[in-house]
Amino acid sequence: MGSLSSPPSADIMKRPRVLWITPWYPSKLHSTLGNFVKRHAEVASQHAELFIFHYFKNSKTTTEVEFFSERDFSGVHLYYTPGLFGKIQLFLFLVRILLTRGSSTDLIHLNIFHETYWTVFPLKWLLKKPILCIEHWTGYHNGNYSKLPKWKQSLIKWSAKHVDEFQPVSHHLGQAMQSALGISLPMHVVPNAVNVDVFKPMPGVQKQFDFIHLSTLDFKHKRPDAILRQFAQVLRRYPKTNMAIGGDGDLTPLIELAEELNIRNAVTFFGELSAEEVSAYFNASRCLVLYSNYENFPCVIPEAWACGIPVVASDVGGIKEWLNVEQGVLVDPKNESDLKKAMIYFLENSEKYLPDALRAYSTAYFSYASVGSKFLRRYQHLMR
């Protein structure tokens, strides 16, 4: 008779106690920075006891500490002052957290390594607990990492060797990070998460827009200007087509461009939205359009799918790891006319994209339940 496998140890079965350290997190100083980090925290908190330490440089002359509570976890915002004195305060506050919470911490989960690398040494010195790091930064493949001072690159590389596991949001990002640092790193991809209870189909909502674009509206990164230019070309063939475009960037240059292109009447502009408002806009639209110069795998793509609409996106970063012919169209990021062709293709073939199938796909891979199970497996693995 074969022997039975041993049951999991008590340490593996208990809810891990995780100290979450991040420089990006929504706060009173920046309401949207790191909203994807917050979603990951919401996901992880379903399987672990989380305490968030968020730090952000303040323009004021005094450091401010603000405790906060979410539904399933709590944390602290440290708004530290610029300059050397502020950095010393930041370091001492981290040490204080480690000394007071160390005995009740099983794991440390960093975010955005080029900004949290400096925590690795005190973490290893004071806690000696496993360290993970979720990575979102596009700087590894858009050239920004190579622009960092050489001393900082050296410290990042040294610190990375002492992290037990990196969790990039796409394979492409993981490869770019390893290439930039010039070393092999332990990697497990954990994609961005979508709250499918918020992003969902809304029966009865009328489709007001053929296309929608939502981003930070950065011309060099997100290229909303290119989208407007190609949309103007689409209008020549389909003059009744319309678009909604907006986000948390400056709308003025885009409005001026729309007027210059003589398409102002066909474009609706909107500002920063809540998650519920984004879901409503997706439900009122037929297709999400992105044309970024570089990306990892932006949250808006699986959010759109969760609402049942397909995506036209540039073939950059980790997008092609998830977007295939059933979910939308990939376009050449170096050929703007390819974007126009893709938008026309959608208008002529929109019936090919099945809302229920798009939502099922998003739920299977990006829902809190799906991503949460990945976090739990990685936590349990490292706690062994």
Side-chain angles (χ1 to χ4, degrees):
M1 180 183 294
S3 61
L4 296 176
S5 59
S6 301
S9 69
D11 285 342
I12 300 303
M13 295 181 67
K14 73 177 183 180
R15 283 172 63 87
R17 298 165 298 181
V18 182
L19 174 60
W20 192 282
I21 301 176
T22 178
W24 297 359
Y25 196 87
S27 69
K28 66 181 182 181
L29 297 186
H30 200 311
S31 61
T32 61
L33 179 66
N35 50 20
F36 41 81
V37 173
K38 182 179 179 181
R39 289 179 200 141
H40 268 160
E42 291 171 345
V43 170
S45 69
Q46 304 304 304
H47 303 281
E49 297 177 12
L50 252 64
F51 183 83
I52 310 288
F53 172 40
H54 165 237
Y55 58 93
F56 191 85
K57 187 184 293 185
N58 198 344
S59 60
K60 297 181 180 179
T61 56
T62 56
T63 294
E64 183 179 354
V65 177
E66 177 183 81
F67 290 90
F68 67 92
S69 259
E70 303 288 352
R71 187 179 70 176
D72 296 309
F73 58 91
S74 60
V76 60
H77 300 291
L78 177 71
Y79 306 114
Y80 66 98
T81 58
L84 179 60
F85 183 66
K87 291 178 181 178
I88 293 173
Q89 287 183 310
L90 171 59
F91 179 81
L92 293 177
F93 195 86
L94 172 66
V95 171
R96 175 184 167 189
I97 287 179
L98 299 184
L99 292 176
T100 56
R101 303 192 66 87
S103 61
S104 60
T105 296
D106 298 311
L107 300 159
I108 299 96
H109 214 150
L110 306 179
N111 288 257
I112 324 298
F113 195 66
H114 77 288
E115 293 194 26
T116 54
Y117 71 93
W118 62 273
T119 67
V120 171
F121 176 73
L123 288 170
K124 285 291 185 181
W125 174 47
L126 291 174
L127 293 194
K128 299 180 176 62
K129 301 292 175 67
I131 300 175
L132 304 86
C133 183
I134 305 174
E135 191 54 75
H136 299 267
W137 192 43
T138 57
Y140 295 108
H141 50 231
N142 70 3
N144 283 343
Y145 177 80
S146 61
K147 297 176 184 177
L148 296 175
K150 294 301 181 183
W151 64 264
K152 188 170 185 178
Q153 292 184 41
S154 297
L155 286 177
I156 291 172
K157 182 176 180 178
W158 179 88
S159 301
K161 295 177 181 179
H162 295 82
V163 173
D164 296 280
E165 179 175 300
F166 284 92
Q167 297 176 335
V169 294
S170 71
H171 291 285
H172 179 272
L173 176 58
Q175 292 164 0
M177 184 179 187
Q178 292 183 110
S179 177
L181 271 61
I183 55 176
S184 179
L185 298 169
M187 295 272 185
H188 282 85
V189 173
V190 177
N192 280 316
V194 175
N195 187 341
V196 295
D197 293 329
V198 173
F199 293 92
K200 59 185 178 182
M202 299 178 181
V205 174
Q206 296 297 314
K207 297 293 186 183
Q208 301 177 45
F209 312 109
D210 294 299
F211 300 104
I212 183 171
H213 172 76
L214 173 69
S215 73
T216 56
L217 306 178
D218 183 298
F219 279 32
K220 291 182 179 180
H221 182 187
K222 302 294 185 176
R223 294 197 288 179
D225 54 323
I227 293 174
L228 279 186
R229 285 194 295 269
Q230 294 310 307
F231 177 65
Q233 297 297 315
V234 173
L235 278 172
R236 293 183 179 182
R237 185 164 175 175
Y238 292 98
K240 294 185 179 180
T241 305
N242 58 15
M243 166 174 275
I245 186 167
D248 57 348
D250 184 4
L251 288 168
T252 304
L254 287 174
I255 295 173
E256 292 174 350
L257 178 59
E259 292 171 347
E260 179 184 327
L261 294 169
N262 199 29
I263 62 172
R264 181 66 182 85
N265 292 337
V267 182
T268 297
F269 293 93
F270 58 87
E272 184 178 328
L273 303 175
S274 67
E276 290 76 12
E277 290 169 333
V278 172
S279 180
Y281 259 92
F282 282 158
N283 273 273
S285 305
R286 299 174 64 203
C287 180
L288 171 67
V289 180
L290 300 176
Y291 196 58
S292 304
N293 260 325
Y294 51 89
E295 284 290 0
N296 292 317
F297 182 70
C299 293
V300 289
I301 291 179
E303 288 171 353
W305 289 337
C307 293
I309 68 171
V311 177
V312 170
S314 49
D315 185 2
V316 294
I319 293 177
K320 65 182 176 183
E321 295 174 23
W322 298 103
L323 196 160
N324 55 47
V325 293
E326 284 79 31
Q327 287 82 44
V329 185
L330 286 171
V331 299
D332 185 351
K334 298 181 180 179
N335 184 358
E336 280 194 23
S337 65
D338 203 29
L339 177 59
K340 174 195 70 178
K341 294 174 184 176
M343 295 168 78
I344 290 175
Y345 176 85
F346 169 76
L347 291 173
E348 296 175 348
N349 297 274
S350 60
E351 73 283 351
K352 292 184 178 181
Y353 303 103
L354 306 177
D356 289 345
L358 291 168
R359 177 166 175 78
Y361 183 71
S362 185
T363 301
Y365 294 102
F366 309 105
S367 65
Y368 280 18
S370 174
V371 178
S373 66
K374 291 180 172 63
F375 276 136
L376 180 60
R377 285 196 298 271
R378 302 318 306 161
Y379 287 164
Q380 290 177 336
H381 172 76
L382 289 174
M383 286 175 64
R384 293 189 182 99

